[in-house]
Amino acid sequence: MTSTQFDCQYCTVSLLGKKYVLKDDHLYCVSCYDQIFSNYCEQCKEPIESDSKDLCYKNRHWHEGCFKCTKCHESLVEKPFVAKDERLLCTDCYSNECSSKCFHCKKNIMPGSRKMEFKGNYWHETCFVCEHCRQPIGTKPLISKESGNYCVPCFEKEFAQYCNFCKKVITSGGITFRDQLWHKECFLCSGCRKELCEEAFMSRDDFPFCLDCYNHLYAKKCAACTKPITGLRGAKFICFQDRQWHSECFNCGKCSVSLVGEGFLTQNTEIFCRKCGSGTDIDM
């Protein structure tokens, strides 16, 4: 190699007896190399010279001494860290600032660890356990109560009530009738088998019936209009001997005046007010 071949590629000064840097088969004096090729530190904005360690993360560069947590200023060299909003944070600071807190133990859920979410709250995987058997629930089915979350077997063992019809567990809701429980979809009319959970119904011999079935099978018929008398929702009716009337149908057979609370006379199947019945051969 001639003397001219041992000159700085940029400033051409002789490098004999001096420190130099070889890059892409070219020689550079340290000063020229730092001026041309040095990266600038994200923290101090000064060039990272060739005699300094250049720490790089996602095309960003730091001096070794500047590579610190932006919150607690502890060195991140050879330590785990998290980048958030262009900031570098140690795992403790990131956890305190950004991580979810466990609903059970109230401690931070560290970055990278598995967390469970349920009803808007978060748990460590080891804290998300059945309230009864204390085994991790994970992604298995669960049932929640005010006292905690339960795996299905423990819930059935401790709390479950069973449908009087299908004998299966009632996990929520349900219908109570005659001190017994039904699933809503199992509480059916004993006549036509339609669901009664949102329907008015009547009972007979401890069996529920929709109004149509009850009226057809059991309701007395009004002696005047022949329609069923149900007594539903407090409706009033009149009984006399073996006959019944809706209160609004209990009227004089001649002048139609209401006889509710009034004296009346009968003749065969007819009823009359005292005025219309006067002078007529009628039963008293």
Side-chain angles (χ1 to χ4, degrees):
M1 178 179 293
T2 66
S3 59
T4 56
Q5 290 176 319
F6 206 68
D7 295 342
C8 172
Q9 179 70 24
Y10 186 72
C11 68
T12 69
V13 69
S14 174
L15 298 176
L16 292 173
K18 297 179 180 180
K19 292 178 65 176
Y20 64 89
V21 180
L22 177 65
K23 181 176 176 62
D24 299 331
D25 295 328
H26 295 295
L27 301 177
Y28 296 89
C29 67
V30 171
S31 177
C32 289
Y33 178 86
D34 289 342
Q35 180 181 349
I36 299 170
F37 299 109
S38 289
N39 297 304
Y40 282 79
C41 176
E42 290 284 334
Q43 177 63 29
C44 68
K45 310 304 180 184
E46 296 294 327
I48 303 173
E49 298 174 341
S50 56
D51 58 352
S52 299
K53 184 178 288 188
D54 185 338
L55 301 181
C56 179
Y57 175 74
K58 290 188 175 180
N59 294 321
R60 300 166 65 197
H61 299 264
W62 288 263
H63 291 105
E64 183 177 15
C66 294
F67 195 61
K68 299 177 180 181
C69 172
T70 55
K71 190 169 184 179
C72 69
H73 306 297
E74 291 292 324
S75 174
L76 298 178
V77 177
E78 297 184 358
K79 292 183 179 179
F81 63 90
V82 180
K84 178 176 173 59
D85 302 327
E86 301 299 315
R87 298 183 301 154
L88 300 182
L89 298 170
C90 65
T91 53
D92 287 341
C93 288
Y94 177 81
S95 179
N96 290 330
E97 181 175 314
C98 309
S99 294
S100 305
K101 290 188 181 296
C102 177
F103 186 78
H104 175 71
C105 70
K106 310 305 180 185
K107 295 181 180 179
N108 292 322
I109 301 175
M110 298 299 290
S113 62
R114 190 176 182 187
K115 65 181 178 181
M116 310 304 296
E117 181 179 2
F118 181 64
K119 291 187 175 180
N121 294 314
Y122 298 93
W123 283 261
H124 293 106
E125 185 177 21
T126 53
C127 291
F128 192 58
V129 299
C130 170
E131 196 69 25
H132 180 69
C133 69
R134 310 307 299 172
Q135 294 300 309
I137 295 175
T139 58
K140 295 183 293 187
L142 64 90
I143 299 172
S144 182
K145 288 178 63 69
E146 290 184 3
S147 55
N149 302 315
Y150 297 83
C151 64
V152 173
C154 285
F155 179 86
E156 293 182 355
K157 179 180 178 181
E158 293 295 309
F159 304 106
Q161 295 174 308
Y162 292 83
C163 175
N164 187 59
F165 178 74
C166 70
K167 310 305 179 185
K168 295 180 180 179
V169 172
I170 299 174
T171 57
S172 63
I175 298 289
T176 301
F177 175 70
R178 294 287 192 268
D179 296 326
Q180 295 177 324
L181 295 173
W182 278 261
H183 291 110
K184 290 182 178 180
E185 61 273 19
C186 291
F187 189 59
L188 308 175
C189 171
S190 298
C192 66
R193 309 307 295 167
K194 78 174 180 179
E195 291 187 15
L196 297 177
C197 64
E198 296 182 358
E199 300 281 342
F201 65 91
M202 303 288 288
S203 66
R204 177 81 176 202
D205 300 327
D206 291 336
F207 293 99
F209 292 88
C210 68
L211 297 186
D212 288 340
C213 288
Y214 182 87
N215 291 340
H216 175 72
L217 295 171
Y218 301 112
K220 301 291 186 180
K221 302 298 189 293
C222 176
C225 70
T226 70
K227 293 181 180 179
I229 299 174
T230 64
L232 190 66
R233 298 185 181 91
K236 296 180 179 180
F237 58 94
I238 310 298
C239 293
F240 178 71
Q241 295 178 348
D242 60 348
R243 292 185 290 167
Q244 294 83 27
W245 291 262
H246 296 108
S247 59
E248 64 271 19
C249 295
F250 192 59
N251 302 323
C252 174
K254 188 172 182 180
C255 70
S256 299
V257 67
S258 175
L259 300 177
V260 177
E262 303 291 338
F264 62 92
L265 306 170
T266 66
Q267 183 178 31
N268 297 325
T269 60
E270 295 289 334
I271 57 173
F272 298 96
C273 64
R274 290 186 181 274
K275 181 178 179 181
C276 291
S278 298
T280 305
D281 185 15
I282 58 178
D283 299 326
M284 297 293 290

